Amino acid sequence: MFENRFFKVLVGIILILLVVFLSTKVPFIFRPLVVFFQTLFIPFLIAGVLFYLLRPIVTFLHKQKIPKGLAIVFIYLGLIGIATGFVFLIGPILQRQLMNLVDNMPRLVNDLGAILIQIQDNEWIARYQETENFSIEGIIDNVTSYIMASIDFLSTNIAKLIGSVINFVLVFIIVPFMLFYLLKDGEKAPNQVLRFFPEKQQVEGRRILKDMDEALGSYIQGQIIVSFCVGVLMYIAFLIIGIEYSLILALVAMFTNVIPFVGPWIGTIPAVIVALIHSPIMVLWVLLAIVIVQQIESNLIAPQVMGKKLSIHPLTIIILILVGGRFAGFFGLLLAVPTYAASKVIVSHTYRLLKLRKRNDERIAEEQAAAKES
């Protein structure tokens, strides 16, 4: 019984659960680890994404006999130049649209409320309200009260807001240093991890880490490039349509597109709302533009950039996003798919190793049985 594999697995699970239970009884011991993780999570996340984006450039420059440190400095100077160019090119446009949006926000809210009231007065909507006890005015009141509560919360938590701003500034300062050492010494990390494993397992461990690195790299690089292309196409489409706040809406679409599958649809909501305030015809033009851009993205850009390296079914992506968002909010939406991709590599390699070990055990048993017979 004690030699049974199932019994060993069961004992291992019980011991893990026991450790987790005991850790909940002494939370003060793990509090410093939680604070450490919360402090470094965002900088490591940003530096990790930038690492996968910039590593191919560093590798290319290093192959041209340029030292890695100098190559990273060149990349930093190039990024500073690109950022400066963007500030001069789109900065004034973005500032003008943001100021216009802030100035017109009361009017936009009133116009949206008037449209909702018109919808409420529709005969079919009125019948539905009578049967379902549904009221658009109640929704408007709830939204208004929520906005007011949010303003009160911000006004009474100025200290926390200032602390958040300070943390953002610290992250902005720390990330370049973290990124520099990741780009310079990142290739040494697998060897530092594998030295804790037996020598026989280091070859397989190096293979697993290499596959994980390729899966994460292809996903992050592809997702960022595709999102940038979507943002550019959305901006061009919005300019052609003539919708207000075209740059802001395109940036929203670009950033939300980072979230797989549901992100593009989330990014369409602000554009549809602005178009609805303008006119019903504008809504149709915006929806048409969004459909065209998404078709270009899904049929032309994504297949060329992303390829089929992850080979994750769309239904799996939906489930991952729902579960990730439920457990970890916005970061769960972002990290669900890459976490699954890395876990898939580990599980597939573990399953393959178990099958190989089982075959070896069977072969050894057969050889021993043949030796006894002879």
Side-chain angles (χ1 to χ4, degrees):
M1 175 181 177
F2 295 101
E3 298 297 328
N4 187 279
R5 179 176 298 177
F6 175 77
F7 179 78
K8 292 181 179 179
V9 173
L10 183 62
V11 171
I13 294 174
I14 293 174
L15 289 176
I16 293 173
L17 294 176
L18 182 61
V19 170
V20 173
F21 174 75
L22 293 176
S23 65
T24 60
K25 300 301 179 182
V26 285
F28 60 90
I29 296 178
F30 299 94
R31 180 62 183 170
L33 295 176
V34 174
V35 173
F36 180 80
F37 177 79
Q38 291 176 344
T39 304
L40 295 181
F41 175 74
I42 299 297
F44 264 114
L45 178 64
I46 298 174
V49 172
L50 294 175
F51 166 74
Y52 279 111
L53 288 176
L54 300 178
R55 184 178 60 177
I57 305 176
V58 175
T59 303
F60 172 78
L61 293 176
H62 187 58
K63 289 181 179 179
Q64 309 304 316
K65 308 302 181 181
I66 300 177
K68 274 192 175 181
L70 188 59
I72 298 169
V73 172
F74 286 158
I75 291 174
Y76 276 21
L77 294 175
L79 290 177
I80 293 173
I82 293 173
T84 304
F86 269 107
V87 168
F88 281 104
L89 287 175
I90 70 174
I93 302 174
L94 184 61
Q95 181 184 11
R96 184 171 62 252
Q97 292 188 8
L98 283 174
M99 295 301 295
N100 190 20
L101 178 61
V102 172
D103 293 338
N104 293 329
M105 183 60 70
R107 179 183 65 82
L108 294 175
V109 173
N110 291 332
D111 291 345
L112 183 60
I115 292 173
L116 292 176
I117 291 174
Q118 290 178 3
I119 295 174
Q120 182 185 13
D121 293 337
N122 184 275
E123 180 182 355
W124 296 99
I125 300 297
R127 291 180 181 178
Y128 181 78
Q129 292 182 76
E130 293 176 358
T131 57
E132 299 293 335
N133 193 23
F134 173 82
S135 175
I136 293 181
E137 292 180 353
I139 295 177
I140 297 174
D141 293 337
N142 290 334
V143 172
T144 304
S145 61
Y146 177 77
I147 294 174
M148 296 303 297
S150 300
I151 295 174
D152 293 337
F153 175 80
L154 291 175
S155 62
T156 56
N157 292 270
I158 296 298
K160 292 183 179 179
L161 182 61
I162 294 174
S164 300
V165 173
I166 294 174
N167 288 333
F168 175 79
V169 173
L170 290 176
V171 168
F172 187 78
I173 295 173
I174 292 172
V175 165
F177 293 97
M178 297 177 63
L179 178 61
F180 179 86
Y181 288 106
L182 283 175
L183 291 172
K184 187 174 183 294
D185 302 322
E187 295 179 353
K188 300 178 182 178
N191 294 329
Q192 298 297 323
V193 174
L194 293 173
R195 64 190 180 92
F196 295 103
F197 289 84
E199 188 174 349
K200 294 181 179 179
Q201 299 178 2
Q202 289 185 6
V203 175
E204 191 61 36
R206 189 171 288 104
R207 180 176 178 181
I208 293 175
L209 291 177
K210 182 175 181 296
D211 289 348
M212 286 177 56
D213 180 67
E214 290 180 355
L216 290 174
S218 62
Y219 174 80
I220 293 173
Q221 294 167 7
Q223 201 70 17
I224 297 297
I225 294 173
V226 169
S227 298
F228 178 77
C229 293
V230 168
V232 172
L233 291 175
M234 283 292 190
Y235 182 53
I236 295 173
F238 290 156
L239 285 178
I240 295 173
I241 294 172
I243 190 173
E244 291 184 293
Y245 319 114
S246 55
L247 181 57
I248 298 175
L249 296 175
L251 289 175
V252 171
M254 181 179 70
F255 285 114
T256 56
N257 198 83
V258 177
I259 303 173
F261 205 82
V262 299
W265 302 107
I266 297 174
T268 63
I269 296 175
V272 172
I273 292 175
V274 173
L276 182 63
I277 295 173
H278 187 275
S279 68
I281 299 299
M282 182 64 73
V283 175
L284 295 178
W285 283 114
V286 167
L287 292 176
L288 179 62
I290 291 170
V291 169
I292 292 174
V293 171
Q294 290 302 322
Q295 289 298 313
I296 294 174
E297 181 265 338
S298 59
N299 293 304
L300 295 178
I301 300 175
Q304 297 296 325
V305 176
M306 299 287 289
K308 297 187 179 296
K309 293 183 179 180
L310 294 182
S311 63
I312 302 176
H313 195 275
L315 180 59
T316 305
I317 294 177
I318 295 174
I319 295 174
L320 289 171
I321 291 172
L322 291 175
V323 175
R326 179 67 179 83
F327 278 96
F330 177 73
F331 288 108
L333 297 176
L334 290 178
L335 301 178
V337 176
T339 301
Y340 171 80
S343 303
K344 183 179 178 181
V345 171
I346 296 175
V347 171
S348 61
H349 278 279
T350 303
Y351 178 72
R352 183 178 59 83
L353 289 175
L354 290 176
K355 288 183 65 176
L356 289 175
R357 180 176 297 179
K358 184 178 179 180
R359 291 176 183 174
N360 289 333
D361 293 341
E362 291 176 353
R363 180 178 56 80
I364 292 173
E366 291 176 358
E367 291 178 354
Q368 291 176 348
K372 290 181 180 178
E373 291 177 357
S374 60

